[in-house]
Amino acid sequence: MATKPPVAVVTGAGRGIGRGIALGLAKANFDVAVNFAHNAEAAAETCDEISRLGRHAMPVRADIADADDRAQLIAETENRLGPVTLLVNNAGIAPEVRADVLESTEESFDRLVRTNLKGPYFLTQIVATKMIEWQRAGLVREPKIVFITSVSAFAPSVNRGDYCISKAGLAMAAKVFAARLAGDGIGVYEVQPGVIQTDMTEKVRERYDKLILEGNLLPIKRWGQPEDVAHAVVAIAEGRFSYSTGITIVVDGGFHLRVL
Ligand SMILES: NC(=O)c1ccc[n+]([C@@H]2O[C@H](COP(=O)([O-])OP(=O)(O)OC[C@H]3O[C@@H](n4cnc5c(N)ncnc54)[C@H](O)[C@@H]3O)[C@@H](O)[C@H]2O)c1
């Protein structure tokens, strides 16, 4: 009898990096729950692409900033695809306005922290608790959790402090869960993208084109692509880092290098 493929949940997988990760995982033989908040059409397109790769995919509407939605996302995935072997906390937002840290609003701060930090933190709490049970029952093997953070976790931008703080907090969440879950056989990883070409960076496309192609922002002089991030997540999913829980895999074209 053929063994059932493992199941992954990818949050915010309708477009951008999340879609790239979902497709990468499908190619690596995962069935995928494609979470989206608003754009059902984009999520359906991701699912169609996954189906063409011969894997099962299911769109699940859930706002990860909402506690009831988080619980429902995992319940629906378990009911329709099966117990979850891999959670990828990808969904995230940028501030609506890039405002100087002396002028930015509490509303923007709360929105960013709720979506980028509190959402994945408590979604991980739900999934990790279930993974422990599923693993004990022999329903999943070597489950894993990935947090997509950002180089903004360490590099300050003075016009989006709220974003940077949410990502710095998320980087610590990855470490806290890694330490807590190692004894339960669950690997937890941070993947830290640099500047990736998606709708999120569309507004700053021209400025970054100049910085990347003509400047010294990146030692590797090209935009990162969703596939670059997906490659790191797939390597984790395939168990290539099973003795390395808590690590940060940097996917940034060398942005982190300080060159003299
Ligand atoms: N693009 C970059 O340069 C870059 C760099 C570093 C990190 N990141 C991070 O990577 C992740 C993906 O970014 P992207 O560039 O693909 O952005 P994107 O805006 O293209 O895609 C983000 C996806 O998340 C979804 N989403 C937003 N809020 C949600 C919510 N509350 N519930 C469920 N889904 C929600 C969006 O609908 C969208 O589909 C984000 O966490 C982002 O912070 C992006």
Side-chain angles (χ1 to χ4, degrees):
M1 201 176 70
T3 49
K4 204 184 152 318
V7 173
V9 174
V10 184
T11 65
R15 68 182 200 191
I17 294 172
R19 176 180 284 187
I21 292 170
L23 295 176
L25 291 171
K27 287 178 196 154
N29 202 36
F30 277 78
D31 289 342
V32 188
V34 173
N35 161 246
F36 69 98
H38 305 295
N39 192 340
E41 211 172 300
E45 272 173 38
T46 305
C47 289
D48 286 348
E49 283 197 51
I50 292 173
S51 302
R52 283 197 287 278
L53 292 166
R55 295 267 42 96
H56 292 296
M58 173 182 89
V60 191
R61 203 213 68 78
D63 175 350
I64 56 146
D66 181 277
D68 292 340
D69 279 17
R70 289 192 289 269
Q72 170 262 326
L73 165 62
I74 302 311
E76 202 172 324
T77 304
E78 184 182 8
N79 286 342
R80 293 179 50 200
L81 287 181
V84 176
T85 295
L86 175 71
L87 167 66
V88 183
N89 285 302
N90 165 77
I93 51 173
E96 271 163 8
V97 182
R98 287 190 172 206
D100 185 279
V101 72
L102 298 183
E103 291 160 8
S104 60
T105 63
E106 289 199 25
E107 287 72 22
S108 178
F109 186 96
D110 288 345
R111 181 173 164 266
L112 273 273
V113 168
R114 214 171 34 240
T115 304
N116 292 358
L117 177 55
K118 187 177 171 189
Y121 183 87
F122 285 102
L123 181 62
T124 296
Q125 190 185 67
I126 295 173
V127 173
T129 306
K130 292 227 160 220
M131 279 175 167
I132 292 169
E133 285 169 21
W134 289 328
Q135 185 156 242
R136 277 196 195 126
L139 298 173
V140 296
R141 282 190 58 230
E142 298 178 22
K144 297 170 187 70
I145 297 167
V146 176
F147 289 86
I148 305 298
T149 63
S150 167
V151 290
S152 299
F154 74 86
S157 295
V158 296
N159 60 0
R160 47 184 190 134
D162 38 20
Y163 182 79
C164 296
I165 286 163
S166 70
K167 290 296 184 177
L170 197 62
M172 179 50 76
K175 293 191 206 317
V176 169
F177 279 109
R180 172 61 183 84
L181 298 172
D184 293 295
I186 301 172
V188 182
Y189 305 87
E190 176 189 358
V191 172
Q192 192 179 84
V195 187
I196 311 295
Q197 198 163 21
T198 66
D199 290 341
M200 184 181 272
T201 43
E202 188 53 40
K203 277 190 200 159
V204 287
R205 172 77 56 96
E206 274 181 37
R207 191 163 78 81
Y208 277 78
D209 267 347
K210 269 201 159 41
L211 285 169
I212 293 169
L213 303 175
E214 298 165 22
N216 293 315
L217 185 72
L218 302 183
I220 300 177
K221 289 193 184 303
R222 68 164 175 84
W223 282 83
Q225 297 299 325
E227 296 72 39
D228 293 309
V229 183
H231 289 151
V233 175
V234 169
I236 291 167
E238 289 182 328
R240 305 300 168 102
F241 295 99
S242 56
Y243 196 56
S244 308
T245 195
I247 56 165
T248 301
I249 301 184
V250 179
V251 186
D252 71 350
F255 172 83
H256 66 282
L257 294 167
R258 301 189 66 178
V259 182
L260 201 57

